[in-house]
Amino acid sequence: MNAPAVIDRQSEGDCAPVIKERGQREVFCGLTGIIWLHRKMQDAFFLVVGSRTCAHLLQSAAGVMIFAEPRFATAIMEERDLAGLADANEELDRIVDQLLARRPEIKSLFLVGSCPSEVIKLDLSKAAQRLGAKHAPHVRVLNYSGSGIETTFTEGEDACLASLVPEMPVLAAGAPANLVVVGSLPDIVEDQFRRLFAEMGIANVASLPERAVADLPGVGPNTCFLLAQPFLNETAHLLEKRGATRIDALFPFGVEGTSNWLHAAARAFAIDSDHVDRVLQPYQDRAHKALAHQRDRLAGKTIFFMPDSQLEIPLARFLANELGMVLTEVGTPYLHRTHLTQELAALPPGVQLSEGQDVDKQLDRVRAIRPDLTVCGLGLANPLEAEGLSTKWAIELVFSPIHGFDQAGDLAELFARPLRRRDVLRV
Amino acid sequence: MQLSVWTYEGPPHVGAMRVATGMKGIHYLLHSPQGDTYADLLFTMIERRGQRPPVTYTTFQARDLGKDTSQLFQDAALDVVERFAPDALLVGASCTAELIQDDPAGLVEKMGLPIPVIPLELPSYQRKEHWGAAETFYQIVRTLADKTRTPSDPATRRPLANLLGPTALGFRHRDDIIEVTGLLAKLGVDVNVVAPLGACAADVARLGEADFNIVMYPETGDLAADYLKREFGQPIVRTVPIGVGATQDFIREIADLAQLDPAPLLAEGLSRLSWWSRSVDSNYLTGKRVFIFGDGTHAVAAARVAHEELGFKVVGLGCYNREYARDVRAAAKKYGVEPLITDDHLAVEQAIADAQPELVLGTQMERHIAKRLGMPCAVISSPVHVQDFPARFSPHMGFEGANVLFDDWVHPLVMGLEEHLLTMFSDDFEFNDGAGPSHLGPHAGQNAASDPAIKPANDTETVWSEDAERELKKIPFFVRGKARKNTENFAAEHGVTTIELATLYEAKAHYAR
């Protein structure tokens, strides 16, 4: 649709020109975040208010998980719900009653907005207040939007966590300093980071989200927070509004990113950096060892990122700096410069960045470049393979443990495997 | 509103995608918000297609609402025509676009595009996937079928039929076409056009040249066949050839219509099901209680096979698509069961639990219900997952289809029997959990009584610290054994006697591949 506008970024002080495009986007909407968020928050239920399409999306994205009594569902709007808004609210109340009667163990209920509910302006924040009052104190009712018209894929997590920020307990100005790690991480990764912080000497550490929504960490002027994920713009903004201070760092992918992330936290807590170096040394050594296995396979290989999760830029930085991959184009659905300042500076010079998407035009560029590996969604992966281009499907990067020192090797392996497979197949 | 975790059918625009994706040279322009492209991966992943579906999404976002969504749509239409040069363009709206009241049909009409444009009205809040497919195919036929085409002189050729209904993402559609085409060829009937699957606009144009239409899948083909009957006077064959008896009926019906002799083909006895089912090994199948659920067509066909050809007792019969409820009610009456017409999987689960069948025939959903209830199950209908788009030839129609049904349905029962025997003998000295495989001798299982995942693999001095042991348990069970072994080997090599957390991760790094 619109021709790509190449913007000169030199004037803005960072490294490379950015292609800004709009057109057809081959991306998930924010509802998809529910698939991993409900695994993380064990006492929460996610009720999407939407259409059959929304239910179908969740079921397609959740695969077989849908059968293990998942803690999410869709209230599918029907013809009669569209007739009048009052009726829709009554219907929603009825559905929520039905749901909570079926699942009495639920402590928090997220009403999740969708495109249809946004377009007909069904006020879910009012509904959340109404239902929250009705079901207090057993169930806390919250709301956020995961609609495609407002959120792309991982932004659903941002919207969800942002809805939790006003619920966080107030810490007074005199309270001892605390650290909040923001972004849902697999439990095993979260535990590793907790141990590292303890070894470094930061004791007062919590996560947003915690495994139970009921255990929300406190926030106040002595709170510092570290983003574990690059897609948490709104959440960070709201935390800052509550007086917390964001610790600027690389994102914790690979040795470089994880070291920088932990050092930044240590600096904020005035911990001696020599001590941190001593603590991190053995972890760094073994991560380097694990990465060495993959470097031979990946060094010099070209890679193209299509936009998906906003993880693209930190991952590209890791692959280029620690594994010697050659970046062609790095696409991201949105480029939040503030949170990515250090990441952008750490990228090799001259990398082509792109923000947004016109998928057909972007595929033309992929075909022209013929990269060794293209990171893309499942709708594009097999068609590109059929054209002889190796791909790595992007969603796996959101579901797999990839942060931190001890996952660095696994993260590299995710990119090395498709290339190795291409080499072994003889059919 | 309806509370739903699982939906048997997607929205109607997914039905339209199934038609467009099955065809060649037809492009579908869908007015929809960002995110609706998720449906692409049904085709690229579940059906494993090597091309993107021929669908372009306008991808409007919140900031576009109320100003330029219609412009967005028109720009996208121009782009599609230029880039893909389709022979015809389908235009329609997804559920959200239906609410914002742009008029895709009107918008594109004004543009005067150089190709046929087929507007689709798919009411997302009333109808579902199958209806969307049927309506889309009907609109395509209505627009593209050339009314001047009629059958040539029947004296100069063999009878000619169209096969209607197969689509992309259809359960076994690919192989059913091959099987039915082969049967027709043996009978002396040629196939004029198969549509929508594999057809292009030109194929649809010459639908009128056939003598009659065969509706393979009523859910997707009925509307178009009715139209062709009205406009071209083509008779319709509605018998669905699933099972030996139904296939024979199908042959007779066509032979009658085309004035051919069915006797030689019927005498060939092309299905092994008849003998397999009569062989003494099948005796134990007699009166097995079977619960059947799926789309109306497959459910009714399966009930007949179960009842007449395998000697099962049908104890439940239902469908999720109300459009075919009448057929299911009639069949249920025949087998003396209460019909179950619902798209609520919880109601299906309850009915299955109440009926306590020995075999469940259903969709992917019933497979999981049966798994939870510990019942054998086979899949007979969409929705299905990736394993039901197999690489091997596996039709459900025709005589080879009957062979496939026999194997597919009996296999879980034999497996069920095996499992039952193993459970029955679970306290037996040879079969209990701790005994280990018998071929390893009487002492093989002595160490296996406690959790094998956290016990040392060999008789070294290595011990696991509590921390490391806890961490090991967080690793998924299917790789835990390997992680344990690697760590212990690593510890042995490095002279480590106590495995700490660090050792676990040292080993992980060491063995990283």
Side-chain angles (χ1 to χ4, degrees), chain B residues 370-388:
Chain B
K371 198 172 183 181
R372 195 179 303 164
L373 299 173
M375 295 168 181
C377 179
V379 171
I380 58 155
S381 160
S382 63
V384 295
H385 206 54
V386 61
Q387 67 267 42
D388 277 301

Side-chain angles (χ1 to χ4, degrees), chain B residues 58 71 122 349 362 381 486 492 505:
Chain B
T58 54
Q71 186 62 44
L122 306 175
E349 179 161 3
S381 160
N486 281 351
Y505 284 114

